[in-house]
Amino acid sequence: MVEPYASTAQLAQSGIVYERLFSEAECERIRSALLTARDWAPAHVVNASDTGEEAIELMPEVRLAEVSEFAGVRKVMNRFCRRIEQKLVPGLVAEFGKSDIEPQEFCAIRYTQGGRYLPHRDNGGSLDHRAFSVVCYLNEDFVGGGTCFPDMGFQIEPRTGMAIAFPSEYLHAALPVEAGCKQVLVSWIRGGPAIAWI
């Protein structure tokens, strides 16, 4: 079942920070720049075995997308980092009372028709340094592809230039793209001591 879109009140109650990072014109320029990135590759999953050992694997039945770490277009990454620091970090500090946080991991992701990422958490194991996850939507001219939070019973409707930031331990999913191509920028923010999650 596809969950309904979140209301502003639901976002505030859930601790999800929702802000505009880029204008539509800026998003168009970013999408054009990303076309020239030289490192687009199938997205991997960090998979833990029963023994606790981790492996980085291609698992298209779980995650079907392409990822770039901005090879040849580092200026996009730098601009994304600055906007997170200016527009999202203050909200996270206010919401969670942490001042020692900074964005340190970045990538661009594109989901074509059928692209998805099943419910998962962005931290744990070797990824425990991740305190918050950031997703910035670069377009909205596709069908499907919402960001779903199953435990909260709602999804985020992608809107061009808007970004969400949330604790990396929140269970979430990229719902399947039914038509078109969804493009996002993603970052993980490192934190200090453990946060009292709501």
Side-chain angles (χ1 to χ4, degrees), residues 6-19 88-98 101 131-134 149 152 154 156 163-170 189 195-198:
S7 67
T8 303
Q10 284 175 309
L11 291 176
Q13 291 169 359
S14 68
I16 295 174
V17 176
Y18 185 63
E19 292 287 343
L88 289 177
V89 167
L92 293 171
V93 170
E95 183 70 33
F96 295 98
K98 288 177 62 72
I101 57 177
F132 300 101
S133 301
V134 176
F149 291 85
M152 298 178 195
F154 61 73
I156 306 294
I164 55 172
F166 55 90
S168 293
E169 75 167 21
Y170 279 14
I189 298 176
I195 299 168
W197 307 108
I198 49 180

Side-chain angles (χ1 to χ4, degrees), residues 2-7 10-11 137 144-150 152-158 173 175:
V2 176
E3 307 290 357
Y5 290 128
S7 67
Q10 284 175 309
L11 291 176
Y137 305 102
T147 303
C148 180
F149 291 85
M152 298 178 195
F154 61 73
Q155 65 170 302
I156 306 294
E157 183 178 15
L175 296 176

Side-chain angles (χ1 to χ4, degrees), residues 10-182:
Q10 284 175 309
L11 291 176
Q13 291 169 359
S14 68
I16 295 174
V17 176
Y18 185 63
E19 292 287 343
R20 177 171 297 282
L21 290 196
F22 299 107
S23 68
E24 290 192 18
E26 287 176 310
C27 287
E28 185 175 352
R29 289 194 294 272
I30 291 169
R31 293 195 307 269
S32 295
L34 287 173
L35 289 174
T36 66
R38 299 187 301 267
D39 63 339
W40 286 103
H44 290 75
V45 172
V46 177
N47 193 27
S49 69
D50 294 337
T51 63
E53 294 182 8
E54 293 181 345
I56 299 175
E57 302 176 318
L58 280 174
M59 299 180 68
E61 69 278 10
V62 173
R63 186 182 192 193
L64 186 60
E66 290 183 300
V67 176
S68 165
E69 294 184 353
F70 305 103
V73 287
R74 301 293 286 184
K75 63 183 180 182
V76 171
M77 184 198 78
N78 294 335
R79 186 180 310 153
F80 183 36
C81 178
R82 286 194 302 272
R83 294 296 171 87
I84 291 172
E85 291 171 340
Q86 293 166 355
K87 299 195 171 190
L88 289 177
V89 167
L92 293 171
V93 170
E95 183 70 33
F96 295 98
K98 288 177 62 72
S99 58
D100 56 343
I101 57 177
E102 62 178 315
Q104 292 190 346
E105 298 176 72
F106 307 90
C107 68
I109 305 174
R110 60 189 179 198
Y111 299 87
T112 54
Q113 186 171 354
R116 67 197 174 280
Y117 196 170
L118 297 185
H120 63 285
R121 303 177 198 278
D122 286 343
N123 65 358
S126 64
L127 304 177
D128 249 354
H129 58 276
R130 293 176 174 176
F132 300 101
S133 301
V134 176
V135 179
C136 179
Y137 305 102
L138 295 177
N139 67 320
E140 58 188 78
D141 56 344
F142 53 88
V143 180
T147 303
C148 180
F149 291 85
D151 291 344
M152 298 178 195
F154 61 73
Q155 65 170 302
I156 306 294
E157 183 178 15
R159 285 289 174 247
T160 304
M162 298 301 291
I164 55 172
F166 55 90
S168 293
E169 75 167 21
Y170 279 14
L171 185 69
H172 61 287
L175 296 176
V177 172
E178 299 168 27
C181 178
K182 171 186 172 183

